Amino acid sequence: MHYRRLGDSDLEVSEISLGSWLTYGVGVEADAAQACLDAAFDAGINFIDTANVYGRGAAETFLGEALATRQRDSYILATKVFFPMSERDQGLSLSQIEKQLDASLARLNTDFVDLYQCHRYDDHTPLEETMEALTRAVASGKVRYIGFSEWPAERIQAALDLSDVTKFVSSQPQYSLIWREPESEVIPLCAANGISQIVWSPLGQGVLSGKYDPDRPPPAGTRATSEEMGGWMDRLMQPKLLRAVQALKPLAAEAGLTMPQFALAWVLREPNVASAIIGASRPQQVAENAAASGARVDPALFARAEAIIAAGLAD
């Protein structure tokens, strides 16, 4: 496993990290989830990402129990705040950040998180209030560093322009061969200001694994067939795109990689990406994905892959 510095922090995070969206505490049984977590540590993964809203606290609770036997300094733990936890509890106000942070720490069974992230931008709370709350959280020792997820460039810049507040070190956008939106504004802005990317859905929710045949139903047991985990995949399960993904298989083979490894290596080719978050329901998936770290791929293969996927996404 290779490691990269997370923005201007002193955190060295594994290039592949383990996430828990739609999986642990929700769509994956506890024993399988524990096996995945153990496989992650075996592979050298030291960065675990979750959020309070995943399973309305269930993912954090699982991790709090599963990590209890491990030394706290043996892993880097990140969680997030913003989405509704009840009819009244949501957003990034000072009171909500303080309340939700304490609740997350209790579920995670820890005194601090290494990275606390704004899960989205809160248009109903002044940015100054949000940043004051995050600055207080760091000063309290409950949070080491702060980040955000899916903030537009103008909001990132507005936060950078504030004085006397703690600075962000991470951005968590969706980014993959089939979703390259951050390249236009977010990645350049962050790279210039000591903020790294922690990428979610680098495999396009499994589509870039190549396991979905456009001419056959999704295989049993895959995310696309899961009621708990497949609800976000409709826009990706388009025959034209799936055929384009199938056309990547010879390129991955030429690179000496599996399809998931090829897609992860493509994401990690970007220097501003510190880590790619994987989701896994089986420990074998964790081991396979972790092996993408440090892969060296001919840029010409990536260029061909980009052209193939662009054609598959074209109207």
Side-chain angles (χ1 to χ4, degrees), residues 144-187:
R144 293 182 66 192
Y145 296 101
I146 59 171
F148 55 82
S149 177
E150 298 292 353
W151 277 28
E154 63 270 19
R155 301 301 191 187
I156 301 170
Q157 186 62 62
L160 290 169
D161 290 341
L162 295 177
S163 58
D164 300 321
V165 296
T166 298
K167 298 299 183 182
F168 289 119
V169 300
S170 70
S171 163
Q172 189 173 133
Q174 180 180 184
Y175 184 51
S176 71
L177 260 169
I178 56 179
W179 186 260
R180 302 179 63 178
E181 180 70 22
E183 292 178 346
S184 60
E185 294 183 296
V186 169
I187 287 178

mmCIF file of all heavy atoms in Angstrom, residues 144-187:
data_model
loop_
_atom_site.group_PDB
_atom_site.id
_atom_site.type_symbol
_atom_site.label_atom_id
_atom_site.label_comp_id
_atom_site.label_asym_id
_atom_site.label_seq_id
_atom_site.Cartn_x
_atom_site.Cartn_y
_atom_site.Cartn_z
ATOM 1 N N ARG A 144 -9.405 16.694 14.500
ATOM 2 C CA ARG A 144 -8.037 17.098 14.162
ATOM 3 C C ARG A 144 -8.013 17.998 12.932
ATOM 4 O O ARG A 144 -7.332 19.031 12.925
ATOM 5 C CB ARG A 144 -7.177 15.859 13.930
ATOM 6 C CG ARG A 144 -6.933 15.029 15.177
ATOM 7 C CD ARG A 144 -6.031 13.846 14.876
ATOM 8 N NE ARG A 144 -4.684 14.296 14.503
ATOM 9 C CZ ARG A 144 -3.766 13.494 13.966
ATOM 10 N NH1 ARG A 144 -4.050 12.226 13.732
ATOM 11 N NH2 ARG A 144 -2.575 13.974 13.657
ATOM 12 N N TYR A 145 -8.742 17.615 11.888
ATOM 13 C CA TYR A 145 -8.768 18.387 10.648
ATOM 14 C C TYR A 145 -10.185 18.401 10.089
ATOM 15 O O TYR A 145 -11.017 17.579 10.465
ATOM 16 C CB TYR A 145 -7.797 17.788 9.612
ATOM 17 C CG TYR A 145 -6.359 17.845 10.043
ATOM 18 C CD1 TYR A 145 -5.730 16.715 10.566
ATOM 19 C CD2 TYR A 145 -5.625 19.026 9.933
ATOM 20 C CE1 TYR A 145 -4.409 16.766 10.975
ATOM 21 C CE2 TYR A 145 -4.304 19.083 10.343
ATOM 22 C CZ TYR A 145 -3.694 17.951 10.871
ATOM 23 O OH TYR A 145 -2.384 18.020 11.282
ATOM 24 N N ILE A 146 -10.428 19.335 9.176
ATOM 25 C CA ILE A 146 -11.766 19.464 8.608
ATOM 26 C C ILE A 146 -11.727 19.370 7.083
ATOM 27 O O ILE A 146 -10.714 19.659 6.446
ATOM 28 C CB ILE A 146 -12.447 20.783 9.028
ATOM 29 C CG1 ILE A 146 -11.625 22.007 8.575
ATOM 30 C CG2 ILE A 146 -12.674 20.807 10.541
ATOM 31 C CD1 ILE A 146 -12.350 23.332 8.770
ATOM 32 N N GLY A 147 -12.867 18.961 6.529
ATOM 33 C CA GLY A 147 -13.007 18.849 5.087
ATOM 34 C C GLY A 147 -14.442 19.090 4.669
ATOM 35 O O GLY A 147 -15.295 19.417 5.491
ATOM 36 N N PHE A 148 -14.714 18.915 3.394
ATOM 37 C CA PHE A 148 -16.063 19.102 2.864
ATOM 38 C C PHE A 148 -16.289 18.100 1.742
ATOM 39 O O PHE A 148 -15.340 17.513 1.198
ATOM 40 C CB PHE A 148 -16.266 20.532 2.341
ATOM 41 C CG PHE A 148 -15.241 20.955 1.324
ATOM 42 C CD1 PHE A 148 -15.369 20.601 -0.013
ATOM 43 C CD2 PHE A 148 -14.130 21.696 1.703
ATOM 44 C CE1 PHE A 148 -14.413 20.965 -0.946
ATOM 45 C CE2 PHE A 148 -13.164 22.065 0.774
ATOM 46 C CZ PHE A 148 -13.307 21.704 -0.555
ATOM 47 N N SER A 149 -17.534 17.914 1.395
ATOM 48 C CA SER A 149 -17.895 17.007 0.304
ATOM 49 C C SER A 149 -18.860 17.707 -0.639
ATOM 50 O O SER A 149 -19.879 18.262 -0.199
ATOM 51 C CB SER A 149 -18.547 15.734 0.860
ATOM 52 O OG SER A 149 -18.964 14.873 -0.181
ATOM 53 N N GLU A 150 -18.522 17.678 -1.921
ATOM 54 C CA GLU A 150 -19.395 18.208 -2.973
ATOM 55 C C GLU A 150 -19.726 19.693 -2.799
ATOM 56 O O GLU A 150 -20.853 20.118 -3.043
ATOM 57 C CB GLU A 150 -20.687 17.382 -3.075
ATOM 58 C CG GLU A 150 -20.478 15.928 -3.450
ATOM 59 C CD GLU A 150 -19.983 15.748 -4.885
ATOM 60 O OE1 GLU A 150 -19.927 16.733 -5.634
ATOM 61 O OE2 GLU A 150 -19.655 14.589 -5.237
ATOM 62 N N TRP A 151 -18.735 20.479 -2.392
ATOM 63 C CA TRP A 151 -18.932 21.929 -2.363
ATOM 64 C C TRP A 151 -18.539 22.499 -3.724
ATOM 65 O O TRP A 151 -17.511 22.100 -4.299
ATOM 66 C CB TRP A 151 -18.059 22.565 -1.280
ATOM 67 C CG TRP A 151 -18.640 22.514 0.098
ATOM 68 C CD1 TRP A 151 -19.499 21.583 0.589
ATOM 69 C CD2 TRP A 151 -18.368 23.431 1.173
ATOM 70 N NE1 TRP A 151 -19.786 21.855 1.910
ATOM 71 C CE2 TRP A 151 -19.113 22.976 2.292
ATOM 72 C CE3 TRP A 151 -17.573 24.563 1.298
ATOM 73 C CZ2 TRP A 151 -19.081 23.644 3.520
ATOM 74 C CZ3 TRP A 151 -17.528 25.229 2.514
ATOM 75 C CH2 TRP A 151 -18.285 24.782 3.608
ATOM 76 N N PRO A 152 -19.317 23.445 -4.251
ATOM 77 C CA PRO A 152 -18.927 24.093 -5.507
ATOM 78 C C PRO A 152 -17.732 25.012 -5.287
ATOM 79 O O PRO A 152 -17.456 25.451 -4.165
ATOM 80 C CB PRO A 152 -20.180 24.880 -5.899
ATOM 81 C CG PRO A 152 -20.899 25.123 -4.609
ATOM 82 C CD PRO A 152 -20.615 23.936 -3.750
ATOM 83 N N ALA A 153 -17.045 25.306 -6.369
ATOM 84 C CA ALA A 153 -15.806 26.072 -6.275
ATOM 85 C C ALA A 153 -16.005 27.423 -5.601
ATOM 86 O O ALA A 153 -15.151 27.863 -4.811
ATOM 87 C CB ALA A 153 -15.203 26.256 -7.668
ATOM 88 N N GLU A 154 -17.116 28.095 -5.890
ATOM 89 C CA GLU A 154 -17.300 29.425 -5.307
ATOM 90 C C GLU A 154 -17.466 29.374 -3.791
ATOM 91 O O GLU A 154 -17.061 30.297 -3.069
ATOM 92 C CB GLU A 154 -18.495 30.140 -5.947
ATOM 93 C CG GLU A 154 -19.847 29.486 -5.744
ATOM 94 C CD GLU A 154 -20.205 28.492 -6.837
ATOM 95 O OE1 GLU A 154 -19.277 28.039 -7.547
ATOM 96 O OE2 GLU A 154 -21.394 28.185 -6.978
ATOM 97 N N ARG A 155 -18.042 28.286 -3.269
ATOM 98 C CA ARG A 155 -18.193 28.142 -1.816
ATOM 99 C C ARG A 155 -16.842 27.796 -1.180
ATOM 100 O O ARG A 155 -16.542 28.238 -0.073
ATOM 101 C CB ARG A 155 -19.214 27.055 -1.496
ATOM 102 C CG ARG A 155 -20.602 27.295 -2.072
ATOM 103 C CD ARG A 155 -21.202 28.586 -1.583
ATOM 104 N NE ARG A 155 -22.627 28.673 -1.937
ATOM 105 C CZ ARG A 155 -23.382 29.744 -1.745
ATOM 106 N NH1 ARG A 155 -22.841 30.838 -1.216
ATOM 107 N NH2 ARG A 155 -24.658 29.747 -2.079
ATOM 108 N N ILE A 156 -16.078 26.974 -1.867
ATOM 109 C CA ILE A 156 -14.732 26.663 -1.377
ATOM 110 C C ILE A 156 -13.905 27.946 -1.278
ATOM 111 O O ILE A 156 -13.246 28.205 -0.265
ATOM 112 C CB ILE A 156 -14.039 25.662 -2.309
ATOM 113 C CG1 ILE A 156 -14.837 24.365 -2.409
ATOM 114 C CG2 ILE A 156 -12.613 25.379 -1.824
ATOM 115 C CD1 ILE A 156 -14.346 23.430 -3.501
ATOM 116 N N GLN A 157 -13.960 28.769 -2.321
ATOM 117 C CA GLN A 157 -13.205 30.012 -2.326
ATOM 118 C C GLN A 157 -13.671 30.946 -1.212
ATOM 119 O O GLN A 157 -12.852 31.605 -0.551
ATOM 120 C CB GLN A 157 -13.331 30.707 -3.671
ATOM 121 C CG GLN A 157 -12.462 31.952 -3.811
ATOM 122 C CD GLN A 157 -10.989 31.648 -3.710
ATOM 123 O OE1 GLN A 157 -10.447 30.900 -4.533
ATOM 124 N NE2 GLN A 157 -10.311 32.221 -2.706
ATOM 125 N N ALA A 158 -14.977 30.993 -0.988
ATOM 126 C CA ALA A 158 -15.506 31.852 0.079
ATOM 127 C C ALA A 158 -14.969 31.428 1.439
ATOM 128 O O ALA A 158 -14.635 32.279 2.288
ATOM 129 C CB ALA A 158 -17.034 31.815 0.070
ATOM 130 N N ALA A 159 -14.862 30.128 1.670
ATOM 131 C CA ALA A 159 -14.304 29.648 2.930
ATOM 132 C C ALA A 159 -12.818 29.978 3.032
ATOM 133 O O ALA A 159 -12.323 30.357 4.103
ATOM 134 C CB ALA A 159 -14.524 28.138 3.052
ATOM 135 N N LEU A 160 -12.112 29.871 1.924
ATOM 136 C CA LEU A 160 -10.688 30.207 1.915
ATOM 137 C C LEU A 160 -10.459 31.685 2.205
ATOM 138 O O LEU A 160 -9.423 32.065 2.776
ATOM 139 C CB LEU A 160 -10.081 29.856 0.554
ATOM 140 C CG LEU A 160 -9.938 28.371 0.224
ATOM 141 C CD1 LEU A 160 -9.586 28.182 -1.243
ATOM 142 C CD2 LEU A 160 -8.870 27.727 1.109
ATOM 143 N N ASP A 161 -11.420 32.512 1.836
ATOM 144 C CA ASP A 161 -11.273 33.951 2.007
ATOM 145 C C ASP A 161 -11.504 34.416 3.442
ATOM 146 O O ASP A 161 -11.176 35.553 3.793
ATOM 147 C CB ASP A 161 -12.240 34.691 1.080
ATOM 148 C CG ASP A 161 -11.855 34.568 -0.388
ATOM 149 O OD1 ASP A 161 -10.685 34.241 -0.669
ATOM 150 O OD2 ASP A 161 -12.731 34.791 -1.246
ATOM 151 N N LEU A 162 -12.084 33.563 4.276
ATOM 152 C CA LEU A 162 -12.343 33.940 5.667
ATOM 153 C C LEU A 162 -11.051 33.900 6.470
ATOM 154 O O LEU A 162 -10.189 33.052 6.247
ATOM 155 C CB LEU A 162 -13.363 32.995 6.300
ATOM 156 C CG LEU A 162 -14.785 33.014 5.720
ATOM 157 C CD1 LEU A 162 -15.648 31.970 6.412
ATOM 158 C CD2 LEU A 162 -15.401 34.401 5.870
ATOM 159 N N SER A 163 -10.927 34.816 7.402
ATOM 160 C CA SER A 163 -9.746 34.853 8.267
ATOM 161 C C SER A 163 -10.100 34.322 9.652
ATOM 162 O O SER A 163 -11.273 34.281 10.045
ATOM 163 C CB SER A 163 -9.204 36.281 8.377
ATOM 164 O OG SER A 163 -10.209 37.153 8.874
ATOM 165 N N ASP A 164 -9.067 33.913 10.388
ATOM 166 C CA ASP A 164 -9.210 33.451 11.773
ATOM 167 C C ASP A 164 -10.124 32.234 11.891
ATOM 168 O O ASP A 164 -10.853 32.089 12.887
ATOM 169 C CB ASP A 164 -9.727 34.582 12.672
ATOM 170 C CG ASP A 164 -8.785 35.772 12.694
ATOM 171 O OD1 ASP A 164 -7.562 35.558 12.705
ATOM 172 O OD2 ASP A 164 -9.283 36.913 12.665
ATOM 173 N N VAL A 165 -10.114 31.368 10.888
ATOM 174 C CA VAL A 165 -10.860 30.112 10.968
ATOM 175 C C VAL A 165 -9.915 28.979 10.555
ATOM 176 O O VAL A 165 -8.930 29.195 9.846
ATOM 177 C CB VAL A 165 -12.107 30.098 10.064
ATOM 178 C CG1 VAL A 165 -13.109 31.157 10.516
ATOM 179 C CG2 VAL A 165 -11.743 30.291 8.596
ATOM 180 N N THR A 166 -10.239 27.779 11.004
ATOM 181 C CA THR A 166 -9.463 26.605 10.606
ATOM 182 C C THR A 166 -9.662 26.350 9.113
ATOM 183 O O THR A 166 -10.763 26.481 8.585
ATOM 184 C CB THR A 166 -9.918 25.381 11.416
ATOM 185 O OG1 THR A 166 -9.673 25.619 12.806
ATOM 186 C CG2 THR A 166 -9.154 24.138 10.998
ATOM 187 N N LYS A 167 -8.600 25.984 8.448
ATOM 188 C CA LYS A 167 -8.655 25.779 7.004
ATOM 189 C C LYS A 167 -8.967 24.319 6.662
ATOM 190 O O LYS A 167 -8.567 23.398 7.367
ATOM 191 C CB LYS A 167 -7.314 26.166 6.358
ATOM 192 C CG LYS A 167 -6.943 27.629 6.550
ATOM 193 C CD LYS A 167 -7.978 28.558 5.924
ATOM 194 C CE LYS A 167 -7.576 30.013 6.052
ATOM 195 N NZ LYS A 167 -8.606 30.924 5.479
ATOM 196 N N PHE A 168 -9.671 24.124 5.590
ATOM 197 C CA PHE A 168 -9.961 22.789 5.103
ATOM 198 C C PHE A 168 -8.695 22.123 4.563
ATOM 199 O O PHE A 168 -7.828 22.784 3.986
ATOM 200 C CB PHE A 168 -10.991 22.846 3.964
ATOM 201 C CG PHE A 168 -12.388 23.207 4.404
ATOM 202 C CD1 PHE A 168 -13.018 24.342 3.913
ATOM 203 C CD2 PHE A 168 -13.080 22.391 5.288
ATOM 204 C CE1 PHE A 168 -14.308 24.660 4.292
ATOM 205 C CE2 PHE A 168 -14.372 22.698 5.683
ATOM 206 C CZ PHE A 168 -14.987 23.843 5.184
ATOM 207 N N VAL A 169 -8.621 20.798 4.719
ATOM 208 C CA VAL A 169 -7.507 20.043 4.134
ATOM 209 C C VAL A 169 -7.985 19.015 3.123
ATOM 210 O O VAL A 169 -7.163 18.401 2.433
ATOM 211 C CB VAL A 169 -6.663 19.327 5.216
ATOM 212 C CG1 VAL A 169 -6.073 20.325 6.193
ATOM 213 C CG2 VAL A 169 -7.471 18.250 5.943
ATOM 214 N N SER A 170 -9.320 18.811 3.030
ATOM 215 C CA SER A 170 -9.801 17.762 2.126
ATOM 216 C C SER A 170 -11.124 18.132 1.477
ATOM 217 O O SER A 170 -11.936 18.879 2.021
ATOM 218 C CB SER A 170 -9.968 16.437 2.881
ATOM 219 O OG SER A 170 -11.058 16.516 3.786
ATOM 220 N N SER A 171 -11.307 17.578 0.291
ATOM 221 C CA SER A 171 -12.535 17.686 -0.493
ATOM 222 C C SER A 171 -12.937 16.260 -0.860
ATOM 223 O O SER A 171 -12.086 15.452 -1.232
ATOM 224 C CB SER A 171 -12.266 18.501 -1.759
ATOM 225 O OG SER A 171 -13.280 18.314 -2.727
ATOM 226 N N GLN A 172 -14.228 15.954 -0.742
ATOM 227 C CA GLN A 172 -14.682 14.599 -1.076
ATOM 228 C C GLN A 172 -15.725 14.675 -2.191
ATOM 229 O O GLN A 172 -16.920 14.781 -1.942
ATOM 230 C CB GLN A 172 -15.255 13.884 0.142
ATOM 231 C CG GLN A 172 -15.531 12.414 -0.134
ATOM 232 C CD GLN A 172 -15.948 11.632 1.095
ATOM 233 O OE1 GLN A 172 -16.909 10.880 1.055
ATOM 234 N NE2 GLN A 172 -15.218 11.795 2.193
ATOM 235 N N PRO A 173 -15.271 14.614 -3.443
ATOM 236 C CA PRO A 173 -16.192 14.662 -4.566
ATOM 237 C C PRO A 173 -16.398 13.271 -5.173
ATOM 238 O O PRO A 173 -15.582 12.366 -5.001
ATOM 239 C CB PRO A 173 -15.449 15.543 -5.571
ATOM 240 C CG PRO A 173 -14.016 15.109 -5.373
ATOM 241 C CD PRO A 173 -13.872 14.756 -3.899
ATOM 242 N N GLN A 174 -17.475 13.128 -5.913
ATOM 243 C CA GLN A 174 -17.587 11.975 -6.790
ATOM 244 C C GLN A 174 -16.615 12.190 -7.955
ATOM 245 O O GLN A 174 -16.569 13.265 -8.539
ATOM 246 C CB GLN A 174 -19.014 11.843 -7.326
ATOM 247 C CG GLN A 174 -19.191 10.646 -8.242
ATOM 248 C CD GLN A 174 -20.601 10.504 -8.782
ATOM 249 O OE1 GLN A 174 -20.912 9.536 -9.472
ATOM 250 N NE2 GLN A 174 -21.465 11.450 -8.479
ATOM 251 N N TYR A 175 -15.841 11.157 -8.266
ATOM 252 C CA TYR A 175 -14.852 11.296 -9.341
ATOM 253 C C TYR A 175 -14.499 9.920 -9.872
ATOM 254 O O TYR A 175 -14.164 9.009 -9.105
ATOM 255 C CB TYR A 175 -13.594 11.989 -8.814
ATOM 256 C CG TYR A 175 -12.540 12.284 -9.861
ATOM 257 C CD1 TYR A 175 -12.868 12.951 -11.040
ATOM 258 C CD2 TYR A 175 -11.218 11.906 -9.657
ATOM 259 C CE1 TYR A 175 -11.888 13.229 -11.996
ATOM 260 C CE2 TYR A 175 -10.246 12.190 -10.599
ATOM 261 C CZ TYR A 175 -10.585 12.844 -11.767
ATOM 262 O OH TYR A 175 -9.619 13.122 -12.716
ATOM 263 N N SER A 176 -14.592 9.764 -11.175
ATOM 264 C CA SER A 176 -14.267 8.484 -11.811
ATOM 265 C C SER A 176 -14.155 8.708 -13.314
ATOM 266 O O SER A 176 -14.411 9.810 -13.817
ATOM 267 C CB SER A 176 -15.350 7.440 -11.530
ATOM 268 O OG SER A 176 -16.540 7.750 -12.247
ATOM 269 N N LEU A 177 -13.821 7.662 -14.026
ATOM 270 C CA LEU A 177 -13.781 7.714 -15.485
ATOM 271 C C LEU A 177 -15.126 8.138 -16.078
ATOM 272 O O LEU A 177 -15.174 8.694 -17.173
ATOM 273 C CB LEU A 177 -13.396 6.348 -16.047
ATOM 274 C CG LEU A 177 -11.958 6.126 -16.473
ATOM 275 C CD1 LEU A 177 -11.710 4.645 -16.751
ATOM 276 C CD2 LEU A 177 -11.600 6.975 -17.693
ATOM 277 N N ILE A 178 -16.213 7.864 -15.360
ATOM 278 C CA ILE A 178 -17.529 8.226 -15.886
ATOM 279 C C ILE A 178 -18.107 9.470 -15.215
ATOM 280 O O ILE A 178 -19.230 9.865 -15.522
ATOM 281 C CB ILE A 178 -18.530 7.050 -15.789
ATOM 282 C CG1 ILE A 178 -18.652 6.545 -14.357
ATOM 283 C CG2 ILE A 178 -18.108 5.924 -16.714
ATOM 284 C CD1 ILE A 178 -19.646 5.406 -14.198
ATOM 285 N N TRP A 179 -17.351 10.094 -14.308
ATOM 286 C CA TRP A 179 -17.801 11.355 -13.694
ATOM 287 C C TRP A 179 -16.579 12.211 -13.412
ATOM 288 O O TRP A 179 -15.912 12.055 -12.396
ATOM 289 C CB TRP A 179 -18.593 11.091 -12.415
ATOM 290 C CG TRP A 179 -19.167 12.364 -11.861
ATOM 291 C CD1 TRP A 179 -18.665 13.117 -10.839
ATOM 292 C CD2 TRP A 179 -20.337 13.054 -12.314
ATOM 293 N NE1 TRP A 179 -19.450 14.233 -10.617
ATOM 294 C CE2 TRP A 179 -20.492 14.212 -11.515
ATOM 295 C CE3 TRP A 179 -21.269 12.804 -13.330
ATOM 296 C CZ2 TRP A 179 -21.532 15.111 -11.703
ATOM 297 C CZ3 TRP A 179 -22.314 13.703 -13.503
ATOM 298 C CH2 TRP A 179 -22.433 14.837 -12.693
ATOM 299 N N ARG A 180 -16.300 13.162 -14.326
ATOM 300 C CA ARG A 180 -15.069 13.943 -14.268
ATOM 301 C C ARG A 180 -15.317 15.420 -13.932
ATOM 302 O O ARG A 180 -14.427 16.257 -14.101
ATOM 303 C CB ARG A 180 -14.323 13.805 -15.598
ATOM 304 C CG ARG A 180 -13.989 12.356 -15.923
ATOM 305 C CD ARG A 180 -13.264 12.207 -17.243
ATOM 306 N NE ARG A 180 -11.965 12.874 -17.237
ATOM 307 C CZ ARG A 180 -11.120 12.873 -18.247
ATOM 308 N NH1 ARG A 180 -11.444 12.241 -19.375
ATOM 309 N NH2 ARG A 180 -9.966 13.514 -18.163
ATOM 310 N N GLU A 181 -16.470 15.721 -13.417
ATOM 311 C CA GLU A 181 -16.863 17.100 -13.116
ATOM 312 C C GLU A 181 -15.833 17.868 -12.273
ATOM 313 O O GLU A 181 -15.574 19.045 -12.540
ATOM 314 C CB GLU A 181 -18.224 17.097 -12.406
ATOM 315 C CG GLU A 181 -18.752 18.459 -12.030
ATOM 316 C CD GLU A 181 -19.184 19.282 -13.231
ATOM 317 O OE1 GLU A 181 -19.472 18.675 -14.288
ATOM 318 O OE2 GLU A 181 -19.237 20.517 -13.110
ATOM 319 N N PRO A 182 -15.217 17.254 -11.251
ATOM 320 C CA PRO A 182 -14.290 18.042 -10.409
ATOM 321 C C PRO A 182 -13.071 18.586 -11.140
ATOM 322 O O PRO A 182 -12.405 19.503 -10.634
ATOM 323 C CB PRO A 182 -13.865 17.032 -9.325
ATOM 324 C CG PRO A 182 -14.949 16.027 -9.292
ATOM 325 C CD PRO A 182 -15.418 15.906 -10.712
ATOM 326 N N GLU A 183 -12.760 18.045 -12.305
ATOM 327 C CA GLU A 183 -11.534 18.464 -12.994
ATOM 328 C C GLU A 183 -11.574 19.911 -13.458
ATOM 329 O O GLU A 183 -10.523 20.552 -13.568
ATOM 330 C CB GLU A 183 -11.293 17.555 -14.209
ATOM 331 C CG GLU A 183 -10.930 16.126 -13.847
ATOM 332 C CD GLU A 183 -10.741 15.239 -15.055
ATOM 333 O OE1 GLU A 183 -11.144 15.654 -16.168
ATOM 334 O OE2 GLU A 183 -10.211 14.131 -14.887
ATOM 335 N N SER A 184 -12.757 20.437 -13.719
ATOM 336 C CA SER A 184 -12.840 21.768 -14.317
ATOM 337 C C SER A 184 -12.491 22.880 -13.340
ATOM 338 O O SER A 184 -11.733 23.796 -13.681
ATOM 339 C CB SER A 184 -14.237 21.997 -14.904
ATOM 340 O OG SER A 184 -15.231 21.899 -13.890
ATOM 341 N N GLU A 185 -13.017 22.818 -12.116
ATOM 342 C CA GLU A 185 -12.796 23.911 -11.166
ATOM 343 C C GLU A 185 -12.306 23.448 -9.801
ATOM 344 O O GLU A 185 -11.392 24.038 -9.237
ATOM 345 C CB GLU A 185 -14.099 24.710 -10.980
ATOM 346 C CG GLU A 185 -14.577 25.454 -12.200
ATOM 347 C CD GLU A 185 -15.826 26.267 -11.904
ATOM 348 O OE1 GLU A 185 -16.877 25.665 -11.571
ATOM 349 O OE2 GLU A 185 -15.744 27.502 -11.992
ATOM 350 N N VAL A 186 -12.926 22.410 -9.268
ATOM 351 C CA VAL A 186 -12.658 22.035 -7.881
ATOM 352 C C VAL A 186 -11.231 21.545 -7.687
ATOM 353 O O VAL A 186 -10.525 21.998 -6.763
ATOM 354 C CB VAL A 186 -13.674 20.968 -7.402
ATOM 355 C CG1 VAL A 186 -13.244 20.373 -6.059
ATOM 356 C CG2 VAL A 186 -15.060 21.584 -7.281
ATOM 357 N N ILE A 187 -10.768 20.639 -8.521
ATOM 358 C CA ILE A 187 -9.410 20.110 -8.332
ATOM 359 C C ILE A 187 -8.345 21.201 -8.480
ATOM 360 O O ILE A 187 -7.457 21.310 -7.620
ATOM 361 C CB ILE A 187 -9.155 18.916 -9.270
ATOM 362 C CG1 ILE A 187 -9.941 17.694 -8.770
ATOM 363 C CG2 ILE A 187 -7.665 18.586 -9.352
ATOM 364 C CD1 ILE A 187 -9.812 16.461 -9.640
#
